[in-house]
Amino acid sequence: MIRQPAQRPSARRILTRASAVVAIAFVGSIAVVAQPAFQSSASLLDGLRGCRALTSEGERVSCYDAKVGALLGAVEAGDVRLVDREAMRQTRRQLFGITMPDVDILKGDDKDEEVNSEMLETTIASGRQIGPNAWRFTTTEGAVWEINSPPRKLAPIKEGDKVVFKRASFGYYFIRINGQIGVKGRRVS
């Protein structure tokens, strides 16, 4: 079998493609330059704090108007999001038991008692036995937990049972349901 030599693109076609790439890159750079510079939430708040130092009432009001306008614009654009303490508390409860990187926004302050807690108390939404020696249950926060090889004395897990999780090691937790003996389990989703 004789192979036909591959056709090479003509010099004109190469120049046309190169021109198109340069034009797209140029237009893209103009779009990037035309966008306002991103301001972090910290810089927006620092700008608001700076308005306090102004002594003239007119300057202070115009400063506040400008800085609040920038903050509201960032919120509307989705660059900055305001989250209340209760929403963060609920998020931390939902994420309990998942190994995650240290994310600053999920850290609380001294007002949050649960933040650095190694324990979580909640209620079971549903539970079922998934094998002769395994139970799977879901908490009211939506977390799915599994207990393998529970003791024979463990009462069946049912909706409404109170459960306490205490961090153990290697991704496992001690799980105490309705004050029964603690068993080892892990979060599966």
Side-chain angles (χ1 to χ4, degrees):
M1 181 189 256
I2 300 175
R3 280 191 167 175
Q4 298 264 345
Q7 285 188 334
R8 291 183 172 178
S10 67
R12 180 179 223 173
R13 181 177 260 177
I14 291 173
L15 281 174
T16 304
R17 287 182 183 170
S19 301
V21 169
V22 169
I24 290 171
F26 180 71
V27 170
S29 66
I30 290 173
V32 169
V33 172
Q35 292 178 350
F38 171 74
Q39 287 185 303
S40 69
S41 57
S43 67
L44 290 168
L45 292 176
D46 287 342
L48 277 171
R49 286 184 191 103
C51 294
R52 286 188 199 168
L54 298 174
T55 56
S56 167
E57 186 174 327
E59 289 177 357
R60 191 169 53 250
V61 169
S62 65
C63 178
Y64 276 128
D65 283 345
K67 299 304 178 184
V68 167
L71 178 61
L72 291 177
V75 169
E76 289 169 1
D79 293 334
V80 173
R81 179 167 284 178
L82 302 176
V83 182
D84 63 17
R85 184 180 308 278
E86 182 59 25
M88 289 309 303
R89 189 182 76 77
Q90 287 298 327
T91 301
R92 283 191 297 269
R93 288 180 67 84
Q94 290 172 350
L95 294 174
F96 186 85
I98 295 177
T99 304
M100 291 184 50
D102 220 6
V103 181
D104 193 42
I105 193 167
L106 293 177
K107 293 179 183 175
D109 53 18
D110 296 336
K111 296 177 185 175
D112 295 326
E113 295 174 8
E114 290 183 344
V115 172
N116 297 323
S117 176
E118 298 287 314
M119 294 178 64
L120 173 69
E121 294 183 37
T122 188
T123 306
I124 293 176
S126 65
R128 63 186 171 95
Q129 194 166 5
I130 58 172
N133 284 332
W135 280 88
R136 184 171 283 181
F137 62 93
T138 305
T139 64
T140 55
E141 290 82 13
V144 180
W145 293 80
E146 193 172 283
I147 298 172
N148 291 316
S149 303
R152 290 184 186 170
K153 294 192 277 183
L154 185 69
I157 298 171
K158 58 188 181 302
E159 180 181 342
D161 286 349
K162 300 294 180 194
V163 61
V164 178
F165 300 95
K166 182 176 180 187
R167 194 176 313 271
S169 59
F170 300 112
Y172 284 89
Y173 291 78
F174 290 113
I175 302 171
R176 184 179 300 264
I177 301 170
N178 282 339
Q180 298 179 68
I181 186 168
V183 295
K184 193 166 73 170
R186 64 187 173 92
R187 183 169 176 172
V188 291
S189 76

